[in-house]
Amino acid sequence: MEQRTRGMLEMVAAMVISGTIGWLVVVSGRPVTEVVFWRCALGAVVLLPVCAALGYLRPGTIKARQVWLAVAGGAAIVANWLLLFSAYEGASIAIATAVYNTQPFMLVGLGAVFLGERITARKLGWLLAAFCGVLLIVRAGPEAGSIDRQYLLGVVLALGAAFFYAVAALIAKKLKDTPPHLIALIHVLVGTVMLMPLALSAPWPTGLVSWGTLATLGVVHTGLMYILLYGAIQKLPTHMTGALSFIYPVVAIVVDRLAFGHQLHPSQIVGAALILLAAAGMTLGWSWRSLMPGPRGESSV
């Protein structure tokens, strides 16, 4: 029980930290490519000694094929971060985060195409619910006004981020025997190398706010967050990590409201709730019947 409690605390902490990423990205005031570069570079500084201490850097820990798969997953994760952080400007942190949580459905689609996994009627039902949620968000427009190109672009970028996250998750299925901390290290090293030419050719950040937010994103929101997340995954059953993962979008939406005053239109709230409900149903394996009241007003579970 003590092990599970510790895992729950680690998972909650990791999700709360994740929920404040958007706030730091916006407050930093730096270009997205620069934000992602420093997140990767400083995250690597934290994860490298951790992997060394755990013995993951010893020869033979990972095979060449696994390295290349992890590199491909790292490229997908970097694309995911670039698109998601770019989405904040047009669609707000709350809307981008809600749309981003369509990622389980992207993974189901990729699994059907590349792994031959069957798409059941239950999964199609949740997919339809999430699609309706996205439509409600798109039709509402920014601040309940008419739809503009920047807002629509933000939604599309968030969907693109969800797709690349699903690609990374699909690749991760092939890396089951690889230490997760080592995978995370490879991901941030890939991001550092990919974005180094752009970051070094641009003016470096100046001022306490810029460096403070970038350092926090790298050390806390990447290095520490990954350590907490994978520590929790090792201690908790899958259904519990899936349930606790929905703390992240809730925190992000609340932070967006408190920090930037972004108030969602009622239809956007309904849309976001539909997406999160559908994502939870898909992740936790809920059936539609289990949500319906029983003949005596009780749950049919």
Side-chain angles (χ1 to χ4, degrees):
M1 179 62 74
E2 184 178 343
Q3 186 85 339
R4 176 171 291 197
T5 301
R6 182 178 175 183
M8 289 178 64
L9 292 174
E10 289 175 342
M11 188 69 185
V12 170
M15 292 302 98
V16 171
I17 290 172
S18 297
T20 60
I21 286 176
W23 171 61
L24 288 173
V25 170
V26 174
V27 168
S28 72
R30 306 304 303 176
V32 169
T33 51
E34 190 176 301
V35 172
V36 176
F37 167 76
W38 286 108
R39 181 184 188 187
C40 290
L42 295 174
V45 170
V46 176
L47 290 169
L48 189 61
V50 171
C51 288
L54 294 173
Y56 295 154
L57 301 184
R58 296 171 184 169
T61 301
I62 183 172
K63 298 177 181 178
R65 179 177 178 274
Q66 293 173 314
V67 171
W68 287 113
L69 283 172
V71 167
I77 284 292
V78 171
N80 155 61
W81 288 343
L82 290 171
L83 291 172
L84 181 60
F85 295 172
S86 298
Y88 295 153
E89 182 178 354
S92 83
I93 295 171
I95 294 300
T97 303
V99 174
Y100 177 63
N101 274 271
T102 57
Q103 55 191 259
F105 306 100
M106 307 281 188
L107 183 57
V108 167
L110 291 174
V113 173
F114 294 104
L115 302 180
E117 296 178 349
R118 190 168 66 92
I119 299 180
T120 63
R122 176 183 60 81
K123 292 179 181 179
L124 284 175
W126 290 124
L127 176 59
L128 179 61
F131 180 71
C132 290
V134 173
L135 286 182
L136 284 171
I137 286 174
V138 170
R139 287 178 62 84
E143 302 296 336
S146 59
I147 301 173
D148 64 16
R149 290 183 179 180
Q150 189 177 18
Y151 178 80
L152 188 59
L153 177 61
V155 173
V156 172
L157 288 172
L159 288 170
F163 171 78
F164 279 106
Y165 183 89
V167 170
L170 188 71
I171 294 172
K173 288 178 176 285
K174 302 289 185 181
L175 295 169
K176 289 182 179 180
D177 298 327
T178 307
H181 296 78
L182 183 56
I183 296 174
L185 175 61
I186 293 173
H187 285 178
V188 293
L189 288 175
V190 167
T192 303
V193 173
M194 283 176 59
L195 298 175
M196 186 177 292
L198 292 174
L200 296 183
S201 63
W204 277 42
T206 57
L208 184 60
V209 173
S210 291
W211 278 115
T213 52
L214 293 175
T216 304
L217 277 168
V219 175
V220 178
H221 289 70
T222 305
L224 177 61
M225 191 275 291
Y226 270 122
I227 292 169
L228 290 170
L229 177 62
Y230 291 132
I233 289 173
Q234 291 171 351
K235 299 178 183 73
L236 297 176
T238 302
H239 73 275
M240 190 170 291
T241 58
L244 293 175
S245 68
F246 289 98
I247 294 174
Y248 154 61
V250 173
V251 171
I253 292 171
V254 171
V255 168
D256 192 31
R257 179 71 178 92
L258 295 177
F260 303 110
H262 291 154
Q263 187 169 355
L264 299 183
H265 185 265
S267 63
Q268 292 175 320
I269 295 174
V270 173
L274 266 177
I275 292 172
L276 296 182
L277 174 65
M282 177 72 75
T283 303
L284 302 177
W286 294 344
S287 67
W288 287 97
R289 183 178 298 177
S290 68
L291 300 180
M292 300 297 179
R296 297 183 180 179
E298 298 176 351
S299 172
S300 58
V301 176

